Amino acid sequence: MTIRPEERLAAAVARLILDPAAPAARHAAVGNASAIPAAACLLVRALGHPLRVSLLTRPRGNAFTEGSRELFDLAGQGRVDLFFLGGGQIDGQANLNLLGTGAWPGVETRFPGSFGSAFMYFMTPRTILFREEHSPRVLVQRVDMVSAPGVSPPGVFRRGTAQALVTGRCVFRFHPDRARFALESVHPGESVATIRAATGFDFDAAEAVPETPDPTEAELALLRGPVCDEMLETYPEFCARVFGRKHAA
Amino acid sequence: MTPIPLEAMAASVPDGAMLALPPDYSLPPCALARALVRRGARNLRVLGVPITGYVTDLLVGAGCVAEVESSAVTLGEAGFAPRFTAAVRAGQIRMRDATCPAIHTALQAAEKGVPFMPLRGVIGSDILAHRPDWKVAPNPFAAAGEEDPILLVPAIRPDIAAFHAVMADAHGNVWVGRRREVATIAHAAHRTLVTVEHVVPGNMLEDERLAPGCISATYVEAVAVAARGTWPSGLLDEHAADAAHLAEYARLAKTEEGFRQYLDRHVLTAPAQAAE
């Protein structure tokens, strides 16, 4: 059975969610640009683990009834355990740039803007960073501007940091104590050398880095079955492209 | 309550006004925005609550906007907002970058009539470095000897809240369902202008099931009927967004010339707009 790259990434994110060393995840919230993280969260639940999954843009049966501020109020109280963020640029200290490049506020390239990142990154016990494009353009030594900082000085209220960065080429683990990424696994066809070549920031790596495991048969069956069913209405383009399933609108 | 014509509603928005708008996935006043383009509005200050998209890109492209404050401007699945992006890069508009909960918090301060409210996070973000109106102060309730800097954002009182609603009743109450961010905008703004699909008889506040999704006429200055007023966005569970149209907009608006074609086709003279 051919494994789609998106399925491999979803399974890799699911393993990070279930990492016993990470803070417990009871409630994960997922934004609209995050189809693969949504699939990962739903996979974790389909595997039998109790996880509340709030898909922010779910068109029907959405859990939020107080408007778009409710997510942030929940996160402010510590009721969201896990969130996903990306960025136009991500640097070696896990700083995120969703603003742009060149002079402020993005004279060279303008990205859409910071959304809730400058708040959510501080408020959840952990964040999984996700960006499919893995290139020196995205993964830079130092972001041009900081939407949300990777670490904060002592005394600044912060519940957590990035746990990991998952890309189309590899999984990096983040170490907030030294504000550096370490290469955890490489997807098939990649090596430490190819990752170094595609990454603008310096990172730690053992001499031999394992390959990101394939999703199991059981995981693939769940992704293509109940997980797809549940995300079909919220992420129709993704489900059509990856699972070949059409949502009857 | 007597609805006013859409064009009269657009005419009541003065040049230079701060206009607070909900996001594309909420109840954006797209028909009103097209009417504002037709009336040639100028120097609007747009506030995205907490983000904005098609409406703002359209207004920016048509030269109606001097300033945008938002946490993001995006067409979502259809990509970056092309006219907004071009205007920022060319320095044609002032961009005041924010983060979603800061905008909600500033409006909640206005709802309560207090001058500011605190918000966690944000310290260390370059957004803060470019917001001289935001302050960081020590938490006055921190334990003795404990350092606890916290962000304070000033209340935002928009001149005008503008959004679409499913219906208005004979008393001028409007029903928005669970899209409560538009209620926050209405509570915080000086004036609230609402377009609706239709007007129903009676008083929705007397219906226990409808009342929690209502915004009371206390806040609503004027209502105009604009069927499919959120198009090309969707409308709650009634219809989905017109993804093909948004993709066409995104493609045309890549260039100034394409954007003018879009205006000619869909905003200035299109038969689809005749009812407006």
Side-chain angles (χ1 to χ4, degrees):
Chain A
M1 194 153 43
T2 314
I3 298 165
R4 303 267 328 208
E6 292 86 354
E7 293 171 329
R8 181 182 309 282
L9 294 177
V13 172
R15 276 190 294 277
L16 288 166
I17 296 172
L18 290 169
D19 180 355
R26 292 148 301 188
H27 182 193
V30 189
N32 51 337
S34 304
I36 290 173
C41 289
L42 295 171
L43 175 60
V44 165
R45 214 178 53 192
L47 286 165
H49 303 277
L51 177 68
R52 179 176 292 281
V53 183
S54 295
L55 304 182
L56 301 182
T57 51
R58 187 185 189 124
R60 270 192 299 178
N62 193 300
F64 296 105
T65 57
E66 295 295 330
S68 52
R69 78 157 188 254
E70 191 176 0
L71 166 73
F72 305 105
D73 291 350
L74 280 175
Q77 295 175 49
R79 287 170 180 256
V80 178
D81 303 307
L82 170 62
F83 196 62
F84 299 88
L85 290 170
Q89 290 181 327
I90 300 170
D91 73 18
Q93 297 182 307
N95 295 307
L96 310 180
N97 175 7
L98 293 83
L99 288 157
T101 65
W104 185 273
V107 169
E108 191 180 283
T109 312
R110 172 68 201 194
F111 308 140
S114 301
F115 295 88
S117 64
F119 177 80
M120 296 299 285
Y121 211 12
F122 291 74
M123 291 296 113
T124 56
R126 56 171 158 149
T127 300
I128 295 177
L129 303 177
F130 182 80
R131 180 73 209 244
E132 275 184 278
E133 180 180 338
H134 184 144
S135 68
R137 177 182 91 119
V138 173
L139 304 185
V140 296
Q141 185 64 35
R142 175 74 197 176
V143 293
D144 287 26
M145 39 192 104
V146 177
S147 288
V151 292
S152 299
V156 171
F157 183 92
R158 181 160 193 159
R159 289 202 180 93
T161 64
Q163 172 192 1
L165 164 61
V166 178
T167 75
R169 296 179 190 272
C170 71
V171 177
F172 290 110
R173 179 74 60 157
F174 186 62
H175 294 277
D177 49 333
R178 55 181 195 269
R180 269 176 80 83
F181 285 105
L183 187 59
E184 178 153 296
S185 69
V186 296
H187 304 340
E190 303 288 346
S191 65
V192 176
T194 63
I195 300 296
R196 288 246 182 249
T199 308
F201 58 72
D202 192 28
F203 57 86
D204 300 326
E207 271 185 34
V209 172
E211 196 163 272
T212 309
D214 287 349
T216 63
E217 291 289 324
E219 287 171 337
L220 285 174
L222 290 170
L223 283 168
R224 292 166 186 179
V227 167
C228 175
D229 291 344
E230 186 156 2
M231 60 190 293
L232 196 55
E233 200 176 9
T234 312
Y235 301 98
E237 288 87 4
F238 177 82
C239 289
R241 181 166 55 79
V242 177
F243 302 120
R245 283 271 294 280
K246 287 267 187 284
H247 171 57
Chain B
M1 188 280 297
T2 309
I4 63 172
L6 181 65
E7 305 296 332
M9 182 174 276
S12 82
V13 176
D15 287 351
M18 183 197 270
L19 189 63
L21 302 168
D24 285 355
Y25 58 74
S26 175
L27 291 163
C30 297
L32 178 63
R34 288 185 286 268
L36 285 168
V37 171
R38 288 193 290 274
R39 97 140 182 79
R42 288 294 175 266
N43 295 318
L44 296 176
R45 291 173 296 145
V46 170
L47 177 70
V49 183
I51 66 167
T52 177
Y54 169 82
V55 168
T56 294
D57 205 61
L58 190 71
L59 291 170
V60 167
C64 305
V65 175
E67 178 182 293
V68 174
E69 175 167 0
S70 189
S71 306
V73 183
T74 172
L75 299 179
E77 292 282 311
F80 287 9
R83 290 295 91 205
F84 163 79
T85 306
V88 167
R89 295 187 59 200
Q92 288 164 345
I93 53 170
R94 281 188 304 279
M95 181 60 201
R96 286 153 61 89
D97 273 287
T99 188
C100 301
I103 290 175
H104 292 306
T105 300
L107 291 167
Q108 286 179 275
E111 279 186 296
K112 294 177 201 310
V114 296
F116 64 88
M117 275 177 62
L119 178 72
R120 285 297 189 192
V122 187
I123 294 169
S125 167
D126 285 340
I127 300 172
L128 175 59
H130 289 85
R131 291 298 301 248
D133 55 327
W134 291 1
K135 293 185 191 309
V136 174
N139 170 6
F141 297 99
E146 201 171 280
E147 192 191 347
D148 186 14
I150 190 164
L151 175 69
L152 308 178
V153 296
I156 301 178
R157 190 132 197 240
D159 295 314
I160 295 171
F163 52 87
H164 190 71
V166 173
M167 54 189 163
D169 67 17
H171 297 262
N173 306 304
V174 298
W175 191 85
V176 297
R178 72 174 78 204
R179 296 299 352 168
R180 302 306 295 176
E181 59 276 331
V182 298
T184 304
I185 309 172
H187 299 167
H190 289 280
R191 302 171 56 200
T192 294
L193 306 177
V194 187
T195 56
V196 298
E197 294 291 303
H198 57 271
V199 178
V200 297
N203 182 350
M204 292 188 287
L205 298 180
E206 290 173 0
D207 182 327
E208 215 45 51
R209 293 186 180 223
L210 286 178
C214 283
I215 298 170
S216 136
T218 306
Y219 302 100
V220 178
E221 177 185 295
V223 168
V225 177
R228 306 239 345 159
T230 57
W231 177 83
S233 285
L235 179 66
L236 306 187
D237 59 348
E238 298 198 7
H239 59 257
D242 187 343
H245 184 86
L246 282 165
E248 184 198 358
Y249 174 79
R251 184 175 52 77
L252 286 171
K254 278 202 173 71
T255 65
E256 181 67 36
E257 192 195 351
F259 179 76
R260 294 288 144 196
Q261 281 173 32
Y262 180 88
L263 289 185
D264 286 342
R265 213 178 286 171
H266 296 290
V267 178
L268 301 175
T269 58
Q273 308 308 324
E276 295 174 12

